[in-house]
Every structure is written in C-alpha cells, then in structure tokens.
C-alpha cells in the first residue's frame, strides 16, 4: 500500500524558499518585459500582481488552517500580520471553476503580449526566450510545486480545499 505523505503543521523553510524563488523568477521576468515596453506598463503589471495577492490573502489565507503559520508559500504568516483572522468555513464555501483561473492566466498573458509587441518593434532572441519563460516556469513548475511540495503535505487540503478539488477533477478528466 502506498504510504500517505507526511502532513506539515508548518512547512520546512526550504520549501517556502524554493516555491517563492520560482514564483518571483516567473513574475520578475514578466515585470521586466512590461518595463521594457514602458514604465507605466511595468507599474500597472506590478499593481495587478499585488491586487491578485491582496485578493488571495483576503479571500483565502485568512480562513486557511495555516493562518499565522508557515504554509508552503509563506503566506499564512504574512496574512496574520496584515489581515484579521477569517471564518474557516469560508475557505471551502466556494467551488472553483475554470473561469476562476482567468486572472492567474492574465498574469502570464500580459508579459507574452508585451514580448510580442517588443518583437514586432525589433526582433531579438533574448525577448523571444524571456517571453516564453513565465508560462514554461508556470506549466513545468506548478506540478512540482502543487503536486509534490505543497498539496500532498497540506493540512488544509486534508480538511478541504476547493483548488485541490478542482485540480484533482481536471486530472481525472485528463486520464479518462
Ligand atoms: S491543498 Fe494545496 S492549494 Fe489547497 S490550501 Fe493546501 S497547498 Fe494550497
């Protein structure tokens, strides 16, 4: 019988650092491309990322089991610094649908759009590669981040997690 992965009361720091390094790399490249397009676009992109973070803290992290603790992303600790604790029942009230993924995808699409415009202005292999890196990091990194480092060890996931349920449903549909 397959052994169940260990559940972390608080995640080891190396997991938090690896996950954040990958995330910062992907979004950092995205921001760089938008700044190449123009400072205003770069600032707007960073504002958009901050808005997504703010929404996540306010809607999910405050109600998560890891509020005040070191979750896989380090957000539980940050949430407790800036936001009041929420209702744990709220965490699993919402059911995720593919449309909920759109804001996250836009954070990848904006840098690609910036890259395409920059390539039309002057073709450069550097821009071409940079433009493909954020989606590549996202699609290759997420199965490791969520599939190996975060979700299998997550206490909130064992209680209930709409994101986990959503991705498990997608996986089982792919297998059919
Ligand atoms: S199960 Fe995964 S997606 Fe859900 S709260 Fe835990 S780490 Fe986050």
């Amino acid at each position: 019988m397959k052994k169940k992965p260990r559940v972390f009361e608080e995640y080891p720091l190396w997991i938090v650092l690896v996950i954040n390094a990958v995330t910062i790399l992907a979004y950092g490249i995205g921001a760089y491309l938008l700044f190449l397009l123009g400072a205003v676009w770069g600032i707007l992109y960073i504002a958009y990322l901050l808005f997504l973070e703010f929404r996540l803290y306010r809607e999910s992290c405050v109600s998560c089991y890891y509020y005040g603790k070191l979750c896989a992303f380090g957000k539980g600790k940050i949430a407790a610094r800036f936001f009041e604790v929420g209702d744990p029942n709220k965490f699993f009230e919402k059911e995720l649908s593919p449309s909920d993924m759109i804001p996250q995808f836009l954070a990848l699409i904006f840098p690609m759009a910036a890259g395409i415009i920059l390539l039309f202005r002057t073709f450069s292999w550097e821009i071409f590669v940079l433009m493909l890196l954020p989606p590549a990091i996202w699609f290759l990194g997420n199965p490791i981040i969520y599939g190996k480092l975060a979700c299998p060890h997550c206490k909130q996931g064992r209680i209930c997690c709409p994101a986990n349920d959503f991705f498990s449903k997608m996986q089982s549909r792919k297998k059919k």
Side-chain angles (χ1 to χ4, degrees), residues 75-145:
K75 294 180 197 289
K77 283 264 185 218
I78 300 171
R81 279 197 168 262
F82 298 102
F83 298 87
E84 293 272 304
V85 66
D87 176 2
N89 293 323
K90 286 253 181 327
F91 196 91
F92 42 85
E93 258 176 12
K94 198 177 174 207
E95 204 179 312
L96 286 191
S97 69
S99 63
D100 291 304
M101 296 293 124
I102 292 172
Q104 206 59 51
F105 277 123
L106 285 177
L108 296 174
I109 287 168
F110 292 147
M112 285 197 82
I116 291 168
I117 296 168
L118 290 167
L119 287 179
F120 266 110
R121 283 184 187 166
T122 324
F123 184 83
S124 129
W125 282 107
E126 188 204 344
I127 301 292
F128 182 73
V129 172
L130 285 177
M131 186 183 109
L132 297 177
L133 275 178
I137 294 170
W138 207 80
F139 285 108
L140 298 175
N142 270 357
I144 299 170
I145 290 177

Side-chain angles (χ1 to χ4, degrees), residues 11 64 66 71-73 91 145-146 150-158 160-164 167:
Y11 279 75
C64 178
Y66 287 97
C71 70
F73 307 87
F91 196 91
I145 290 177
Y146 289 94
C151 303
H153 308 286
C154 179
K155 180 97 176 188
Q156 180 62 58
R158 299 277 166 96
C160 180
C161 170
N164 212 1
F167 288 113

